Amino acid sequence: MSTFPRPVPEYGSEPFWAGCNEGVLRFQRCAACQKLRWHPAPICTYCQAEDCAWETIPGTGRIHTWTVITHPVHPGAVGKVPYVVVEIALDAQSDLRMISRLVECEPDEVTMAAPVEVVFEAHPDGQQLPLFRLRR
Amino acid sequence: MNSISDRACIVGIGHTEYSKDSGRSELKLACEAISAAMRDAGLGPGDVDGIAKYTMDNNDPIEIARCLGLPSLRFFGEVAYGGGGGPVGTVMLAAMAVATGQAKAVIAFRAMNERSGRGTPRFGQAMVADTAAGPMSYLAPYGLFSPAQMVALAARRHMHLYGTESRHFGAIAVACRHHANLNPDAMMHGRPMTIDDHQSSRMISDPLRLLDCCLETDGGAAVIVTTPERARDLRQKPVFMAAGGLGGGGWNNRFMVRDIDAPDNEATVAGRRLFADAGISHDDIDVLFLYDHFTPMVLMQLEEYGFCARGEAKDFIGDGSRFLWPHGDLPLNTSGGNLSEGYLHGMQNIIEAVRQLRGTARTQVQDARYAFVTAGNAVPTSAMILRGEA
Ligand SMILES: [Zn+2]
């Protein structure tokens, strides 16, 4: 069975993906202005400082927006539709948002601003992926 | 002079038929469209010395120059971001080349076999790689692949923030189809669509329905840009670039996942100076050409280019009748647009804008003087105001 693409850890993103394999969300925090940033970037988006530390952040947030994908455009989506792709506003910082998939719920249960929490699920190739579920 | 205003004009237009399967190479499509545009302008190979292309277009400029027998190519350049940078951006690039004297007359074109897939991959299809790197590694592993899926996220957010409904998206699709039915060259000619048809079309990526999405097309389209001085001796009434701009911003550059809560985005950046440079107001626009890859993106352009305030597009659109030629006050995409004429990445909208300002459109807007023309948003984009001669 075909799967969704496996993420390739690269220069700059390896600590994030390694964190996922340890069951945590690990993001970059700027050493100068203390802002978290996403996606991983080689320089601070807010102040252009280069020094940063990788830090475990809470795996909680709220649904910023979502789409219910019903038309499988990728071979990996066949048999998975309908599925819910979400943009999560993470609790760790007001402007920190990431894309993920919502699991353990029906599409009609999704509501705007619903609280969610991270749950890790292994890609068939072994890499753990940060997915989210509704906090009930 | 500190802008491109009135320093360049479009003097030739040409296109092939728009089809599902052209049956010929992308190079042949490009040559046919460009050759038609040169004949339209009354320019020969020795008169044209520049080519501006979409970065993603498969054609090689020097190969085109060789085929068309252009003896000297003094300018070549390309603009990134597909239908975002491409359609207006290539015309802008051509305009800057002629305005600075680097070239005499420059071609801007788009040619592709996107529907048949014989050369260019289909827009609606995902990349089928089994790995994802770079920014895509933060999207594709979760099942987010296609442009439609990515813009659906912003469409949902807009509906939540402002009470926008699917029928407002539908009104845009219906307007484009209405015009396609007045254009025998349109792929969807003879296939009328009502708002009920839109509302009952299947979901692709909720809230995006099938009829919110543009066509996929094989074909070629081209324009020729030169200076106002040179245009005086040519066959057609020139259409002037009254203002133009490109726009992007790192804050929303995540493929096509838009941040519509941010005060600025690619469209507000591209549009910031347009009306001031052109010396007109929004009320002076006679005909609208808003890049219509996905209907919610058209709706957002109305707000982001200042035709109405943020969140008010639903009221601005109403039932959409204001977009319909001949009675609407602001006809939209009068040859059918990307949604219903053909998807040449917006170049066919530019061609129709030129026809309107020459006074030769099938759906001619009476006394059309100014056209507002955009490229695709949700990626770095471009927009311009075109002016016809009084
Ligand atoms: Zn910083």
Side-chain angles (χ1 to χ4, degrees):
Chain A
M1 185 175 140
S2 191
T3 62
F4 290 144
R6 170 178 58 83
V8 179
E10 298 167 288
Y11 282 133
S13 71
E14 286 153 338
F16 170 73
W17 293 114
C20 291
N21 287 340
E22 297 163 29
V24 296
L25 285 183
R26 192 173 290 150
F27 278 37
Q28 287 165 299
R29 186 185 290 281
C30 174
C33 75
Q34 305 300 318
K35 290 269 277 183
L36 292 163
R37 60 183 188 253
W38 183 253
H39 311 155
I43 193 162
C44 178
T45 306
Y46 304 91
C47 77
Q48 297 189 7
E50 289 179 34
D51 289 345
C52 72
W54 288 89
E55 170 181 314
T56 296
I57 65 163
T60 57
R62 289 177 180 272
I63 293 178
H64 181 75
T65 187
W66 80 97
T67 179
V68 182
I69 295 175
T70 47
H71 176 64
V73 293
H74 186 278
V78 176
K80 289 198 184 68
V81 289
Y83 62 93
V84 181
V85 168
V86 283
E87 186 173 10
I88 304 294
L90 292 162
D91 290 338
Q93 184 174 296
S94 63
D95 57 355
L96 200 63
R97 297 204 296 267
M98 70 179 291
I99 296 292
S100 183
R101 189 166 73 248
L102 198 68
V103 293
E104 300 175 27
C105 79
E106 295 301 315
D108 61 7
E109 293 181 275
V110 189
T111 55
M112 200 61 79
V116 293
E117 63 192 2
V118 73
V119 52
F120 289 90
E121 187 179 295
H123 187 277
D125 285 358
Q127 172 65 49
Q128 293 284 336
L129 294 176
L131 308 181
F132 284 80
R133 67 183 171 204
L134 296 172
R135 237 175 336 172
R136 307 199 191 242
Chain B
M1 253 186 280
N2 60 4
S3 83
I4 197 67
S5 299
D6 294 330
R7 298 171 72 190
C9 42
I10 300 174
V11 293
I13 55 176
H15 65 89
T16 68
E17 83 286 4
Y18 305 130
S19 76
K20 291 183 173 180
D21 186 355
S22 71
R24 55 203 193 274
S25 70
E26 293 180 327
L27 178 60
K28 186 156 176 20
L29 294 171
C31 289
E32 287 178 27
I34 294 166
S35 175
M38 288 171 60
R39 281 194 305 278
D40 179 62
L43 290 169
D47 302 318
V48 174
D49 56 358
I51 297 180
K53 74 178 281 266
Y54 293 47
T55 300
M56 66 161 39
D57 195 288
N58 290 327
N59 287 292
D60 179 349
I62 199 65
E63 187 67 0
I64 288 173
R66 186 185 68 79
C67 292
L68 295 173
L70 308 185
S72 57
L73 201 58
R74 298 175 61 223
F75 177 81
F76 40 87
E78 57 187 52
V79 183
Y81 303 114
V88 176
T90 53
V91 176
M92 280 282 292
L93 189 62
M96 290 188 281
V98 299
T100 54
Q102 294 300 120
K104 293 182 296 185
V106 178
I107 297 157
F109 78 98
R110 182 72 172 115
M112 58 178 175
N113 280 330
E114 196 206 33
R115 179 60 178 83
S116 64
R118 295 186 60 129
T120 295
R122 291 182 63 177
F123 185 49
Q125 301 294 311
M127 287 166 285
V128 292
D130 56 9
T131 58
M136 205 63 187
S137 68
Y138 309 113
L139 307 177
Y142 308 109
L144 189 67
F145 304 100
S146 72
Q149 295 166 353
M150 294 178 198
V151 304
L153 291 166
R156 164 87 62 202
R157 183 77 187 160
H158 200 279
M159 295 167 90
H160 167 73
L161 289 174
Y162 305 121
T164 313
E165 296 172 24
S166 174
R167 65 188 172 86
H168 301 116
F169 305 150
I172 291 161
V174 168
C176 290
R177 185 63 63 87
H178 170 76
H179 296 137
N181 276 286
L182 300 169
N183 172 12
D185 291 341
M187 290 177 78
M188 302 310 270
H189 183 73
R191 296 180 60 183
M193 182 210 297
T194 66
I195 189 69
D196 291 337
D197 294 333
H198 172 273
Q199 291 291 290
S200 59
S201 69
R202 71 185 161 93
M203 282 294 180
I204 297 293
S205 188
D206 191 359
L208 240 75
R209 298 176 179 280
L210 179 65
L211 293 181
D212 289 311
C213 304
C214 66
L215 302 168
E216 295 173 306
T217 301
D218 284 12
V223 303
I224 312 287
V225 177
T226 190
T227 58
E229 295 71 32
R230 180 77 175 104
R232 277 191 221 113
D233 308 324
L234 299 180
R235 287 182 55 201
Q236 306 290 351
K237 259 173 64 174
V239 168
F240 294 83
M241 177 165 282
L246 277 70
W251 55 88
N252 67 350
N253 187 9
R254 298 173 295 164
F255 278 89
M256 296 182 77
V257 179
R258 296 192 93 206
D259 178 4
I260 67 164
D261 293 50
D264 270 313
N265 56 53
E266 68 282 5
T268 67
V269 172
R272 195 168 286 156
R273 283 179 35 170
L274 290 180
F275 286 92
D277 282 354
I280 63 167
S281 73
H282 291 76
D283 290 339
D284 295 315
I285 298 296
D286 299 298
V287 56
L288 270 182
F289 293 92
L290 300 182
Y291 191 97
D292 47 336
H293 41 353
F294 302 106
T295 58
M297 298 298 107
V298 179
L299 182 146
M300 291 177 199
Q301 287 175 51
L302 289 167
E303 299 176 353
E304 293 162 3
Y305 286 112
F307 288 88
C308 59
R310 288 283 180 100
E312 291 181 2
K314 64 181 191 299
D315 305 314
F316 186 87
I317 292 171
D319 66 0
S321 56
R322 69 181 308 172
F323 292 148
L324 305 182
W325 184 87
H327 300 300
D329 66 320
L330 202 50
L332 170 71
N333 300 353
T334 54
S335 56
N338 288 310
L339 285 161
S340 281
E341 181 183 28
Y343 185 60
L344 263 289
H345 263 153
M347 196 55 90
Q348 78 303 329
N349 269 351
I350 295 175
I351 288 175
E352 173 69 1
V354 170
R355 286 192 207 103
Q356 285 286 356
L357 299 175
R358 285 178 178 176
T360 60
R362 289 190 176 97
T363 48
Q364 184 61 47
V365 174
Q366 202 176 354
D367 302 323
R369 181 100 197 284
Y370 286 102
F372 189 80
V373 186
T374 68
N377 52 345
V379 286
T381 193
S382 45
M384 64 182 168
I385 296 172
L386 295 178
R387 175 173 60 79
E389 284 190 314

